[in-house]
Amino acid sequence: MRTDATVRRLLVANRGEIARRVFATCRRLGIETVAVHSDADAGLPFVREADVAVRLPGDAPGDTYLRADLVLDAARRAGADAVHPGYGFLSENAGFARAVLDAGLTWVGPAPASIEAMGSKIEAKKLMQAAGVPVLGDLDPAAVTESDLPVLVKASAGGGGRGMRIVRHLADLADAVSGAQAEARSAFGDGTVFVESYLEHGRHVEVQVVGDGRGGVLVLGERDCSVQRRHQKVVEEAPAPGLPDGVRRTLHDAARSAAQAIDYVGAGTVEFMVAGEKVAFLEMNTRLQVEHPVTEAVFGLDLVELQLDVAEGRDLPEAPAPQGHAIEVRLYAEDPAADYQPQSGRLGSFEVPDVDVEFAALRGPGLRLDSGFGSGDDVGTHYDAMLAKVIAWAPTREQAARRLAGALRRARLHGVRTNRDLLVAVLGHQAFLAGDLSTDFLTEHPEVVRGREADLEPLALAAAVMLAERDRLARRVQRGAPVAWRNVVSQPQRTVLEAPDAGGQQVVVEWYGGRDGYRHATRDDLVVVSASPDLVVLEVAGVRSQTRGQKSPVATAAERELLLDGGLGSARLREVPRFVDPADVLAEGSLLAPMPGTVVGVPVAEGAQVVAGDPVVVLEAMKMQHTIKAPVDGVVTDLVGAGQQVAAGDVLAVVTAAQDSTPESNTPVEETA
């Protein structure tokens, strides 16, 4: 499919970092840009960076970015002559691609027929098998035996890990199939699933291709995307480490055959599972991938520019030789320790140090940041929880991992919990550095999920001292007088702080102030060397380090909250008031919303008797469903209604415990996609 048309004004039918990524290439090439945005996204950077922006009324994807008619109307009103779909949303919707072409616009993507050919995983496997691409054979669920186990149940439509189940016990197969069908029907509108063999300790390896629609296919190496959670990628790198040369050739040849079999146009990715010498086709994503920057860094190419070149009818270049190694991590607003529960809120601080490039091909040693957010932006509940991608390139894999981990450690990330500590732990893990990779990496190494927890006591002392210094400077008289000075010292000052990004954990700090400065009341190994309202130098067991603090922009006027970063780690700490308004005290047994969202299910009635673990409320946020369960046996009261919008911390229900019941937790949560 060639248009031989010059693109002058491009609409990106997407949001966040991929929209900004495409805009960056367009600016360099002199192409005008058009953004479409929901109401929830109106204040995000991608809207500000576009030459023209068109509002799509509403917040939910189904009302905005998934409305092909609204997107096409926006293109017409904005005078766009081309559409780039990004990834997700309508990017692999053949009907949308066809509608764009029918409207006389240039479609920066593959032909609708190619999208349709790869849209069904079942039909795609048949097509690839006919083209000589190695595939795993399908199994009849009714005929699966113990010798076939383990098997994988997969949705034929869609992706992202939804509608996917690993089955290791034959008795679980029927429930896995029905559960996958229901999940696929809800997520994709198509409940078709299939069963295939599951490769234990397999690697997820994919090949980047760019086709010209005339049989020419550029193969730009492979990427390893094995480190995953919930079948969704977390760490990606190029080239894939430790692959035998024969396996690498098989992957590249199979990817070329796959693209040629459907006369592929533009950028696409052919995904495989690899176990030893065995290679098996998974699927072909007929779009740009999230992890495309690592290929750009290694080959020194701009894949978005190549997409535009092909859309405008130009020939493909020769593939350059790959150089060095690149690693990308996905920085998510989520809590890995709480089963990767998505987080939402306002980013008080979002700064990654030493960034060399933003939204462009990284050539040579350096660090690249592809982000959809900045400091002060709101992370909502309607879309994916990914905040940014951070990419490092270096001559060797070990150097790239070290550079990337160092940048993540020094990043200032406050306002929502993130998976930053998990990513740092993975990049420094002995198994990762040895190239011992598989899709069950995080399951095999649960220690990385815990990450590195900051020691809150020294940070809390630093926060207490900063707050005291701020109080001193706020005085109208006697600013020079020492803080907390007393003629006769009877007891230490007592400051109680909580860490909102660490589950509300509280730390009590007892300290003295006076002419000799500040000191901890009970720990001689914790010394305040110097103090100011925004910088405290502490010595912990003889090791001196700085901690900087700034007032949190996400705090209310009445809250005293600081964002702390430095050699002791990072934390957001809020001073707990000495006196609490009785109206703010929650009833015992209150089940609180873990994040803003919509109540989509209330499986119990007001006054119902429940036992611990029974579902009480189902909350939908960030494309996930969160089941709020009863923490104890008891009676349900004050129950929210289905369809109600709730904020984080809102009371969803109260479970009044039976006398012999002991609470396990305040708000147990179980997630499903």
Side-chain angles (χ1 to χ4, degrees):
M1 181 189 70
R2 298 181 67 185
T3 64
D4 295 312
T6 300
V7 175
R8 293 181 173 85
R9 177 173 281 197
L10 177 76
L11 181 144
V12 177
N14 221 289
R15 63 181 295 275
E17 61 89 18
I18 184 55
R20 297 182 75 193
R21 165 70 190 91
V22 176
F23 292 164
T25 293
C26 288
R27 282 194 300 271
R28 184 169 59 79
L29 298 177
I31 298 172
E32 293 181 292
T33 55
V34 181
V36 290
H37 67 87
S38 67
D39 292 333
D41 285 345
L44 290 186
F46 80 97
V47 179
R48 298 192 298 269
E49 292 178 3
D51 294 307
V52 176
V54 181
R55 172 182 175 241
L56 304 178
D59 294 322
D63 299 328
T64 54
Y65 299 107
L66 289 172
R67 286 282 301 274
D69 57 332
L70 295 182
V71 174
L72 285 172
D73 181 62
R76 178 189 58 79
R77 288 191 286 148
D81 54 26
V83 174
H84 190 298
Y87 49 71
F89 295 133
L90 296 169
S91 64
E92 294 180 281
N93 185 310
F96 177 60
R98 194 169 285 114
V100 170
L101 293 168
D102 289 344
L105 304 175
T106 298
W107 169 247
V108 186
S114 298
I115 298 175
E116 287 173 334
M118 291 299 177
S120 164
K121 293 184 177 68
I122 294 175
E123 296 305 315
K125 285 179 65 174
K126 294 177 181 177
L127 181 62
M128 292 299 98
Q129 190 169 22
V133 176
V135 301
L136 290 172
D138 291 345
L139 300 171
D140 179 357
V144 172
T145 65
E146 290 286 349
S147 62
D148 295 318
L149 299 175
V151 297
L152 187 65
V153 182
K154 295 176 66 175
S156 180
R162 294 176 181 174
M164 188 178 293
R165 302 285 193 279
I166 299 172
V167 179
R168 302 183 185 281
H169 305 287
L170 201 57
D172 299 333
L173 181 58
D175 287 343
V177 170
S178 61
Q181 288 173 332
E183 192 171 279
R185 193 176 300 112
S186 173
F188 314 122
D190 182 349
T192 305
V193 300
F194 62 97
V195 179
E196 65 183 14
S197 299
Y198 178 69
L199 297 181
E200 289 280 19
H201 205 66
R203 294 172 62 178
H204 185 128
V205 183
E206 60 190 31
V207 179
Q208 177 71 59
V209 296
V210 184
D212 63 9
R214 305 186 302 277
V217 176
L218 196 63
V219 175
L220 297 174
E222 76 289 335
R223 302 184 285 253
D224 188 289
C225 309
S226 299
V227 181
Q228 304 179 359
R229 57 100 170 99
R230 290 206 195 100
H231 308 292
Q232 294 175 323
K233 303 160 188 174
V234 178
V235 180
E236 302 107 344
E237 57 183 306
L243 283 184
D245 290 340
V247 171
R248 184 172 277 109
R249 284 193 298 271
T250 297
L251 289 167
H252 293 185
D253 291 344
R256 180 178 285 105
S257 297
Q260 289 173 336
I262 57 174
D263 298 321
Y264 196 73
V265 177
T269 298
V270 188
E271 302 193 343
F272 301 89
M273 285 298 292
V274 176
E277 300 286 331
K278 187 176 182 61
V279 173
F281 171 81
L282 278 176
E283 61 182 333
M284 182 174 184
N285 288 311
T286 52
R287 53 171 169 79
L288 198 66
Q289 291 276 89
V290 176
E291 57 273 19
H292 75 273
V294 293
T295 297
E296 293 183 323
V298 168
F299 282 88
L301 293 172
D302 183 332
L303 287 172
V304 174
E305 182 176 1
L306 285 180
Q307 287 184 297
L308 291 165
D309 284 345
V310 171
E312 292 183 326
R314 283 187 285 275
D315 293 331
L316 293 172
E318 292 293 323
Q323 294 184 348
H325 201 93
I327 305 177
E328 171 185 290
V329 294
R330 302 190 191 189
L331 188 63
Y332 282 103
E334 65 182 17
D335 184 357
D339 195 26
Y340 304 99
Q341 178 179 305
Q343 306 288 296
S344 63
R346 178 164 295 175
L347 291 168
S349 180
F350 189 89
E351 301 171 11
V352 179
D354 306 326
V355 171
D356 299 288
V357 179
E358 288 188 287
F359 308 108
L362 180 65
R363 298 174 176 89
L367 195 74
R368 167 175 163 178
L369 176 68
D370 284 20
S371 172
F373 297 90
S375 297
D377 288 335
D378 289 316
V379 181
T381 61
H382 300 286
Y383 314 110
D384 187 82
M386 189 174 76
L387 298 173
K389 305 177 310 197
V390 190
I391 307 100
W393 183 96
T396 69
R397 183 172 183 264
E398 293 75 15
Q399 291 170 334
R402 185 168 59 186
R403 171 173 284 151
L404 187 51
L408 290 170
R409 275 195 298 268
R410 297 191 303 277
R412 304 189 71 246
L413 307 173
H414 296 285
V416 298
R417 299 202 77 168
T418 73
N419 65 335
R420 184 252 302 271
D421 290 343
L422 177 147
L423 298 173
V424 171
V426 169
L427 293 170
H429 197 279
Q430 184 176 358
F432 177 83
L433 294 175
D436 183 10
L437 304 173
S438 69
T439 54
D440 49 6
F441 182 92
L442 294 180
T443 303
E444 292 184 339
H445 303 289
E447 65 276 11
V448 304
V449 177
R450 294 188 293 271
R452 180 190 64 150
E453 290 292 335
D455 183 357
L456 288 182
E457 188 168 9
L459 287 170
L461 175 60
V465 169
M466 287 182 194
L467 291 172
E469 281 293 297
R470 289 166 186 242
D471 289 342
R472 180 178 65 81
L473 291 181
R475 297 174 186 165
R476 295 191 176 184
V477 295
Q478 296 184 333
R479 286 188 178 181
V483 173
W485 181 82
R486 299 289 187 275
N487 282 323
V488 178
V489 178
S490 60
Q491 60 185 6
Q493 300 289 321
R494 187 173 187 270
T495 304
V496 181
L497 298 135
E498 67 177 3
D501 298 341
Q505 178 182 345
Q506 290 195 350
V507 184
V508 178
V509 180
E510 293 188 336
W511 54 277
Y512 293 103
R515 287 195 172 93
D516 296 329
Y518 299 91
R519 62 185 178 88
H520 198 279
T522 59
R523 286 185 56 176
D524 293 335
D525 66 329
L526 191 52
V527 179
V528 180
V529 178
S530 63
S532 73
D534 54 11
L535 176 65
V536 170
V537 179
L538 292 180
E539 199 171 274
V540 183
V543 179
R544 185 172 297 190
S545 62
Q546 295 182 347
T547 294
R548 296 188 178 276
Q550 68 179 70
K551 185 178 184 299
S552 171
V554 302
T556 65
E559 291 174 333
R560 287 158 58 86
E561 182 174 286
L562 295 176
L563 308 181
L564 305 170
D565 294 279
L568 297 173
S570 300
R572 177 163 66 109
L573 294 178
R574 177 188 302 156
E575 185 177 19
V576 178
R578 292 188 180 184
F579 304 103
V580 180
D581 187 336
D584 295 332
V585 178
L586 294 172
E588 185 176 353
S590 296
L591 302 184
L592 308 181
M595 66 194 70
T598 303
V599 177
V600 295
V602 183
V604 299
E606 181 80 12
Q609 292 273 353
V610 295
V611 299
D614 279 354
V616 178
V617 174
V618 180
L619 187 69
E620 185 170 275
M622 288 184 171
K623 300 163 65 174
M624 301 287 294
Q625 289 189 353
H626 313 267
T627 301
I628 313 300
K629 297 182 176 182
V632 295
D633 300 350
V635 178
V636 178
T637 58
D638 299 317
L639 191 61
V640 296
Q644 185 173 331
Q645 295 279 338
V646 296
D650 281 358
V651 177
L652 303 175
V654 176
V655 178
T656 303
Q659 290 185 350
D660 59 347
S661 183
T662 302
E664 297 176 359
S665 63
N666 188 42
T667 308
V669 178
E670 177 184 278
E671 296 183 4
T672 58

